[in-house]
Amino acid sequence: MAQNRSEHLDGVRHIVWDWNGTLLDDNHANLTALNRACEPHGRGPVDLDYWRTVFRRPLLDCYEEHLGRPIAPELWARINEDYDRHYKQALPRCPLADGVPDVLHEWAGGGGTQSLLSMASHGHVVPLVAERGLDGHFTRVDGRKYDSRSDSKAEHLVEHLTGQGIDPATVVLIGDIDDDARAAREAGARAVLVASGMMSRERLEATGHPVVGTPSEAVRFLAG
């Protein structure tokens, strides 16, 4: 159940949507790719409930803990290649999240604008959003264009908003992990988190930001 709308969300006119785990229901693809990429390195499969309690950024730190040892750059590159291959094989079976794209129409119908920012690679996410017929809803679609030391969405969000001339004070980022909350805070925006993605509700609530069940609930929450 959504929390009551708080005053700190007043003045929001623009949503920055996360993609994976927020607008796209790809939990199964992520988990399948994780297990298959890690299996050759001695890690048995895990289930989604477990992964949602440990997944975090930076991803390298998360995977080192998962495998129980340091990961050299060459091995990390191989794990990423294997992950991407298995994820792409499962991707066609991934539906849009419940209520999408209706929720995008709903927000635009109320006079709001919206864009999309993903930590998936730019070259992957832009055509995928177009293939799903959603690109026309967004003022801008960005994926990760470079790797940063922090492996956080924060600096990407700053560039995403600056490139559109949008005041962060009018923005809410809707995402599914605690890094989305961190990015919004560091950029001067707000955040609403959905508990249907890759992080457990308890961990999301620990950020202090509002937590809801679905993208549709997030937009209803913004409407008060």
Side-chain angles (χ1 to χ4, degrees):
M1 181 178 296
Q3 304 169 14
N4 291 329
R5 190 183 194 278
S6 55
E7 292 183 359
H8 83 283
L9 288 169
D10 289 343
V12 168
R13 297 191 293 275
H14 184 90
I15 293 174
V16 175
W17 291 99
D18 174 56
W19 177 240
N20 304 96
T22 302
L23 293 181
L24 181 69
D25 181 4
D26 63 346
N27 288 344
H28 174 72
N30 278 310
L31 187 69
T32 298
L34 163 78
N35 285 329
R36 291 183 177 172
C38 291
E39 183 180 15
H41 310 290
R43 187 60 165 92
V46 297
D47 62 22
L48 183 61
D49 286 343
Y50 168 79
W51 191 239
R52 294 177 83 234
T53 67
V54 300
F55 174 77
R56 71 181 191 281
R57 289 187 175 277
L59 288 179
L60 177 58
D61 293 351
C62 180
Y63 273 69
E64 286 183 332
E65 181 177 306
H66 187 57
L67 293 179
R69 63 179 184 273
I71 299 175
E74 298 80 7
L75 177 57
W76 184 231
R78 187 158 67 249
I79 289 172
N80 275 283
E81 289 172 4
D82 289 345
Y83 182 98
D84 288 346
R85 182 175 71 258
H86 292 300
Y87 177 84
K88 289 175 182 176
Q89 289 173 353
L91 182 59
R93 299 188 296 277
C94 295
L96 294 173
D98 186 44
V100 179
D102 292 349
V103 66
L104 305 178
H105 290 288
E106 180 182 345
W107 179 252
T113 57
Q114 52 201 326
S115 57
L116 187 149
L117 175 62
S118 173
M119 286 295 281
S121 70
H122 189 72
H124 166 78
V125 75
V126 171
L128 182 57
V129 171
E131 288 168 12
R132 297 295 180 116
L134 300 181
D135 51 328
H137 292 282
F138 305 117
T139 57
R140 180 167 174 151
V141 175
D142 282 330
R144 190 188 73 254
K145 299 175 183 176
Y146 58 88
D147 294 326
S148 63
R149 183 179 300 274
S150 67
D151 191 28
S152 172
K153 186 178 280 186
E155 59 192 89
H156 301 279
L157 178 60
V158 171
E159 294 175 7
H160 181 77
L161 297 177
T162 300
Q164 300 181 81
I166 296 176
D167 179 359
T170 68
V171 172
V172 64
L173 190 160
I174 300 178
D176 70 313
I177 66 172
D178 55 8
D179 185 60
D180 292 308
R182 171 188 173 185
R185 183 175 62 252
E186 294 189 10
R190 277 72 66 84
V192 174
L193 305 174
V194 295
S196 53
M198 289 305 294
M199 195 163 281
S200 68
R201 177 179 284 270
E202 291 76 16
R203 296 177 69 197
L204 297 179
E205 289 175 344
T207 68
H209 290 268
V211 179
V212 297
T214 66
S216 297
E217 289 180 22
V219 168
R220 289 197 296 269
F221 180 77
L222 292 176

Short mmCIF file of all heavy atoms in Angstrom, two decimals, residues 110-151:
data_model
loop_
_atom_site.label_atom_id
_atom_site.label_comp_id
_atom_site.label_asym_id
_atom_site.label_seq_id
_atom_site.Cartn_x
_atom_site.Cartn_y
_atom_site.Cartn_z
N GLY A 110 -2.53 14.69 -17.60
CA GLY A 110 -2.66 15.66 -16.52
C GLY A 110 -1.74 16.86 -16.68
O GLY A 110 -1.67 17.70 -15.78
N GLY A 111 -1.05 16.93 -17.82
CA GLY A 111 -0.20 18.09 -18.09
C GLY A 111 1.27 17.91 -17.74
O GLY A 111 2.07 18.83 -17.89
N GLY A 112 1.65 16.72 -17.26
CA GLY A 112 3.04 16.48 -16.90
C GLY A 112 3.88 16.04 -18.08
O GLY A 112 3.36 15.54 -19.08
N THR A 113 5.19 16.22 -17.96
CA THR A 113 6.12 15.70 -18.95
C THR A 113 6.91 14.56 -18.32
O THR A 113 6.92 14.39 -17.09
CB THR A 113 7.08 16.79 -19.44
OG1 THR A 113 7.77 17.36 -18.31
CG2 THR A 113 6.31 17.89 -20.18
N GLN A 114 7.59 13.78 -19.17
CA GLN A 114 8.31 12.63 -18.66
C GLN A 114 9.44 12.23 -19.61
O GLN A 114 9.36 12.47 -20.82
CB GLN A 114 7.36 11.45 -18.44
CG GLN A 114 6.49 11.09 -19.63
CD GLN A 114 5.26 10.29 -19.23
OE1 GLN A 114 5.26 9.50 -18.31
NE2 GLN A 114 4.16 10.52 -19.95
N SER A 115 10.47 11.67 -19.03
CA SER A 115 11.60 11.17 -19.79
C SER A 115 12.05 9.85 -19.18
O SER A 115 11.49 9.40 -18.17
CB SER A 115 12.74 12.20 -19.81
OG SER A 115 13.15 12.54 -18.49
N LEU A 116 13.03 9.22 -19.78
CA LEU A 116 13.48 7.91 -19.32
C LEU A 116 14.99 7.90 -19.22
O LEU A 116 15.69 8.35 -20.13
CB LEU A 116 13.00 6.83 -20.29
CG LEU A 116 13.23 5.37 -19.88
CD1 LEU A 116 12.11 4.48 -20.44
CD2 LEU A 116 14.58 4.84 -20.33
N LEU A 117 15.49 7.39 -18.10
CA LEU A 117 16.92 7.26 -17.87
C LEU A 117 17.20 5.89 -17.30
O LEU A 117 16.69 5.53 -16.24
CB LEU A 117 17.42 8.34 -16.91
CG LEU A 117 18.89 8.24 -16.49
CD1 LEU A 117 19.82 8.40 -17.70
CD2 LEU A 117 19.21 9.29 -15.43
N SER A 118 18.03 5.12 -18.00
CA SER A 118 18.35 3.76 -17.59
C SER A 118 19.84 3.61 -17.38
O SER A 118 20.64 4.30 -18.02
CB SER A 118 17.88 2.78 -18.67
OG SER A 118 18.32 1.46 -18.40
N MET A 119 20.22 2.69 -16.51
CA MET A 119 21.63 2.34 -16.36
C MET A 119 22.02 1.19 -17.28
O MET A 119 23.17 0.75 -17.27
CB MET A 119 21.94 2.00 -14.90
CG MET A 119 21.98 3.23 -14.00
SD MET A 119 23.34 4.36 -14.40
CE MET A 119 24.71 3.50 -13.61
N ALA A 120 21.09 0.70 -18.09
CA ALA A 120 21.47 -0.18 -19.19
C ALA A 120 22.17 0.67 -20.24
O ALA A 120 22.00 1.89 -20.30
CB ALA A 120 20.23 -0.85 -19.78
N SER A 121 22.96 0.05 -21.08
CA SER A 121 23.73 0.83 -22.06
C SER A 121 22.81 1.60 -23.00
O SER A 121 21.71 1.14 -23.33
CB SER A 121 24.65 -0.09 -22.86
OG SER A 121 23.91 -0.91 -23.73
N HIS A 122 23.27 2.77 -23.41
CA HIS A 122 22.46 3.65 -24.27
C HIS A 122 22.07 2.92 -25.56
O HIS A 122 20.92 3.01 -26.01
CB HIS A 122 23.26 4.91 -24.57
CG HIS A 122 22.48 5.97 -25.27
ND1 HIS A 122 21.50 6.71 -24.64
CD2 HIS A 122 22.51 6.43 -26.55
CE1 HIS A 122 20.98 7.59 -25.49
NE2 HIS A 122 21.57 7.43 -26.65
N GLY A 123 23.03 2.22 -26.14
CA GLY A 123 22.77 1.53 -27.40
C GLY A 123 21.79 0.38 -27.27
O GLY A 123 21.18 -0.03 -28.27
N HIS A 124 21.61 -0.13 -26.06
CA HIS A 124 20.65 -1.20 -25.83
C HIS A 124 19.26 -0.64 -25.55
O HIS A 124 18.27 -1.08 -26.14
CB HIS A 124 21.10 -2.05 -24.64
CG HIS A 124 20.04 -2.95 -24.09
ND1 HIS A 124 19.70 -4.14 -24.69
CD2 HIS A 124 19.24 -2.83 -22.99
CE1 HIS A 124 18.73 -4.72 -23.98
NE2 HIS A 124 18.44 -3.95 -22.95
N VAL A 125 19.18 0.36 -24.68
CA VAL A 125 17.87 0.77 -24.18
C VAL A 125 17.10 1.62 -25.18
O VAL A 125 15.86 1.51 -25.27
CB VAL A 125 18.00 1.49 -22.82
CG1 VAL A 125 18.55 2.89 -22.97
CG2 VAL A 125 16.67 1.50 -22.08
N VAL A 126 17.77 2.47 -25.94
CA VAL A 126 17.05 3.38 -26.85
C VAL A 126 16.24 2.60 -27.90
O VAL A 126 15.04 2.84 -28.06
CB VAL A 126 18.01 4.39 -27.50
CG1 VAL A 126 17.31 5.18 -28.60
CG2 VAL A 126 18.57 5.34 -26.44
N PRO A 127 16.86 1.67 -28.64
CA PRO A 127 16.03 0.92 -29.60
C PRO A 127 14.99 0.02 -28.94
O PRO A 127 13.92 -0.19 -29.50
CB PRO A 127 17.06 0.08 -30.38
CG PRO A 127 18.29 0.08 -29.56
CD PRO A 127 18.29 1.34 -28.77
N LEU A 128 15.28 -0.48 -27.75
CA LEU A 128 14.32 -1.34 -27.06
C LEU A 128 13.06 -0.57 -26.69
O LEU A 128 11.94 -1.07 -26.86
CB LEU A 128 14.96 -1.95 -25.82
CG LEU A 128 14.10 -2.92 -25.02
CD1 LEU A 128 13.61 -4.07 -25.89
CD2 LEU A 128 14.86 -3.44 -23.82
N VAL A 129 13.24 0.65 -26.19
CA VAL A 129 12.08 1.48 -25.83
C VAL A 129 11.26 1.78 -27.09
O VAL A 129 10.03 1.76 -27.07
CB VAL A 129 12.54 2.78 -25.14
CG1 VAL A 129 11.37 3.75 -24.96
CG2 VAL A 129 13.17 2.46 -23.79
N ALA A 130 11.96 2.03 -28.20
CA ALA A 130 11.26 2.29 -29.46
C ALA A 130 10.52 1.05 -29.95
O ALA A 130 9.37 1.14 -30.41
CB ALA A 130 12.25 2.77 -30.52
N GLU A 131 11.14 -0.12 -29.84
CA GLU A 131 10.51 -1.36 -30.27
C GLU A 131 9.23 -1.64 -29.48
O GLU A 131 8.28 -2.21 -30.01
CB GLU A 131 11.47 -2.53 -30.09
CG GLU A 131 12.61 -2.55 -31.09
CD GLU A 131 13.70 -3.54 -30.70
OE1 GLU A 131 13.44 -4.37 -29.79
OE2 GLU A 131 14.80 -3.49 -31.29
N ARG A 132 9.22 -1.23 -28.22
CA ARG A 132 8.04 -1.43 -27.38
C ARG A 132 6.98 -0.34 -27.62
O ARG A 132 5.94 -0.33 -26.96
CB ARG A 132 8.43 -1.46 -25.90
CG ARG A 132 9.37 -2.61 -25.52
CD ARG A 132 8.71 -3.97 -25.69
NE ARG A 132 9.60 -5.07 -25.33
CZ ARG A 132 9.39 -5.90 -24.31
NH1 ARG A 132 8.32 -5.76 -23.55
NH2 ARG A 132 10.24 -6.87 -24.06
N GLY A 133 7.28 0.59 -28.52
CA GLY A 133 6.32 1.63 -28.88
C GLY A 133 6.14 2.72 -27.85
O GLY A 133 5.11 3.40 -27.83
N LEU A 134 7.16 2.94 -27.01
CA LEU A 134 7.01 3.90 -25.91
C LEU A 134 7.78 5.19 -26.11
O LEU A 134 7.57 6.13 -25.34
CB LEU A 134 7.50 3.25 -24.59
CG LEU A 134 6.77 1.99 -24.14
CD1 LEU A 134 7.37 1.50 -22.83
CD2 LEU A 134 5.28 2.24 -23.99
N ASP A 135 8.64 5.26 -27.11
CA ASP A 135 9.54 6.42 -27.20
C ASP A 135 8.79 7.73 -27.38
O ASP A 135 9.25 8.78 -26.93
CB ASP A 135 10.56 6.24 -28.32
CG ASP A 135 9.93 5.86 -29.65
OD1 ASP A 135 8.89 5.18 -29.66
OD2 ASP A 135 10.48 6.24 -30.70
N GLY A 136 7.62 7.69 -27.99
CA GLY A 136 6.85 8.92 -28.20
C GLY A 136 6.32 9.55 -26.93
O GLY A 136 5.89 10.71 -26.94
N HIS A 137 6.36 8.81 -25.83
CA HIS A 137 5.89 9.35 -24.56
C HIS A 137 6.92 10.25 -23.88
O HIS A 137 6.57 11.01 -22.97
CB HIS A 137 5.55 8.21 -23.59
CG HIS A 137 4.37 7.39 -23.99
ND1 HIS A 137 3.07 7.81 -23.81
CD2 HIS A 137 4.30 6.18 -24.59
CE1 HIS A 137 2.24 6.88 -24.26
NE2 HIS A 137 2.95 5.88 -24.74
N PHE A 138 8.18 10.17 -24.31
CA PHE A 138 9.27 10.77 -23.54
C PHE A 138 9.91 11.94 -24.26
O PHE A 138 10.10 11.91 -25.48
CB PHE A 138 10.33 9.71 -23.24
CG PHE A 138 9.79 8.50 -22.54
CD1 PHE A 138 9.84 7.24 -23.13
CD2 PHE A 138 9.21 8.61 -21.28
CE1 PHE A 138 9.34 6.13 -22.49
CE2 PHE A 138 8.70 7.50 -20.63
CZ PHE A 138 8.76 6.26 -21.23
N THR A 139 10.26 12.96 -23.48
CA THR A 139 10.99 14.09 -24.04
C THR A 139 12.43 13.72 -24.35
O THR A 139 13.08 14.36 -25.19
CB THR A 139 10.99 15.27 -23.04
OG1 THR A 139 11.55 14.83 -21.79
CG2 THR A 139 9.58 15.78 -22.82
N ARG A 140 12.94 12.66 -23.70
CA ARG A 140 14.30 12.20 -23.94
C ARG A 140 14.43 10.78 -23.38
O ARG A 140 13.86 10.47 -22.35
CB ARG A 140 15.30 13.13 -23.28
CG ARG A 140 16.77 12.76 -23.47
CD ARG A 140 17.65 13.91 -23.04
NE ARG A 140 19.06 13.58 -23.05
CZ ARG A 140 20.03 14.46 -23.26
NH1 ARG A 140 19.74 15.74 -23.47
NH2 ARG A 140 21.29 14.10 -23.25
N VAL A 141 15.19 9.94 -24.07
CA VAL A 141 15.50 8.59 -23.61
C VAL A 141 17.01 8.45 -23.56
O VAL A 141 17.69 8.62 -24.58
CB VAL A 141 14.90 7.51 -24.53
CG1 VAL A 141 15.35 6.12 -24.09
CG2 VAL A 141 13.38 7.61 -24.57
N ASP A 142 17.54 8.17 -22.39
CA ASP A 142 18.98 8.00 -22.22
C ASP A 142 19.27 6.69 -21.52
O ASP A 142 18.57 6.30 -20.57
CB ASP A 142 19.59 9.12 -21.36
CG ASP A 142 19.77 10.42 -22.13
OD1 ASP A 142 19.99 10.36 -23.36
OD2 ASP A 142 19.70 11.49 -21.50
N GLY A 143 20.32 6.02 -21.98
CA GLY A 143 20.91 4.92 -21.24
C GLY A 143 22.28 5.33 -20.74
O GLY A 143 22.69 6.49 -20.88
N ARG A 144 22.99 4.39 -20.16
CA ARG A 144 24.34 4.66 -19.66
C ARG A 144 25.29 4.83 -20.84
O ARG A 144 25.46 3.94 -21.66
CB ARG A 144 24.82 3.50 -18.77
CG ARG A 144 26.11 3.78 -18.02
CD ARG A 144 26.63 2.55 -17.31
NE ARG A 144 27.21 1.60 -18.27
CZ ARG A 144 26.64 0.46 -18.64
NH1 ARG A 144 25.46 0.11 -18.14
NH2 ARG A 144 27.22 -0.35 -19.52
N LYS A 145 25.91 6.00 -20.93
CA LYS A 145 26.80 6.30 -22.04
C LYS A 145 28.27 6.12 -21.69
O LYS A 145 29.13 6.14 -22.56
CB LYS A 145 26.56 7.73 -22.52
CG LYS A 145 25.14 7.95 -23.03
CD LYS A 145 24.89 9.40 -23.39
CE LYS A 145 23.44 9.62 -23.82
NZ LYS A 145 23.14 11.04 -24.10
N TYR A 146 28.57 5.94 -20.42
CA TYR A 146 29.94 5.72 -19.96
C TYR A 146 29.88 5.08 -18.59
O TYR A 146 28.86 5.14 -17.90
CB TYR A 146 30.71 7.05 -19.91
CG TYR A 146 30.08 8.08 -19.01
CD1 TYR A 146 30.35 8.16 -17.65
CD2 TYR A 146 29.15 9.00 -19.53
CE1 TYR A 146 29.74 9.09 -16.83
CE2 TYR A 146 28.53 9.94 -18.72
CZ TYR A 146 28.84 9.98 -17.37
OH TYR A 146 28.23 10.91 -16.55
N ASP A 147 30.98 4.47 -18.20
CA ASP A 147 31.08 3.88 -16.87
C ASP A 147 31.71 4.89 -15.92
O ASP A 147 32.70 5.54 -16.26
CB ASP A 147 31.94 2.61 -16.90
CG ASP A 147 31.30 1.50 -17.71
OD1 ASP A 147 30.06 1.41 -17.71
OD2 ASP A 147 32.04 0.74 -18.37
N SER A 148 31.14 5.02 -14.74
CA SER A 148 31.68 5.94 -13.74
C SER A 148 32.25 5.16 -12.57
O SER A 148 31.90 4.00 -12.35
CB SER A 148 30.58 6.88 -13.23
OG SER A 148 29.56 6.15 -12.56
N ARG A 149 33.12 5.79 -11.83
CA ARG A 149 33.76 5.12 -10.70
C ARG A 149 32.73 4.69 -9.65
O ARG A 149 32.83 3.63 -9.05
CB ARG A 149 34.79 6.06 -10.07
CG ARG A 149 35.57 5.44 -8.91
CD ARG A 149 36.59 6.43 -8.36
NE ARG A 149 37.55 6.84 -9.36
CZ ARG A 149 38.67 6.16 -9.64
NH1 ARG A 149 38.94 5.04 -8.98
NH2 ARG A 149 39.51 6.60 -10.56
N SER A 150 31.72 5.53 -9.45
CA SER A 150 30.72 5.23 -8.42
C SER A 150 29.69 4.21 -8.89
O SER A 150 28.97 3.64 -8.06
CB SER A 150 30.00 6.51 -8.00
OG SER A 150 29.22 7.01 -9.08
N ASP A 151 29.57 4.00 -10.22
CA ASP A 151 28.56 3.11 -10.78
C ASP A 151 27.17 3.48 -10.28
O ASP A 151 26.32 2.64 -10.00
CB ASP A 151 28.88 1.65 -10.42
CG ASP A 151 28.01 0.65 -11.19
OD1 ASP A 151 27.58 0.98 -12.31
OD2 ASP A 151 27.76 -0.46 -10.66
#
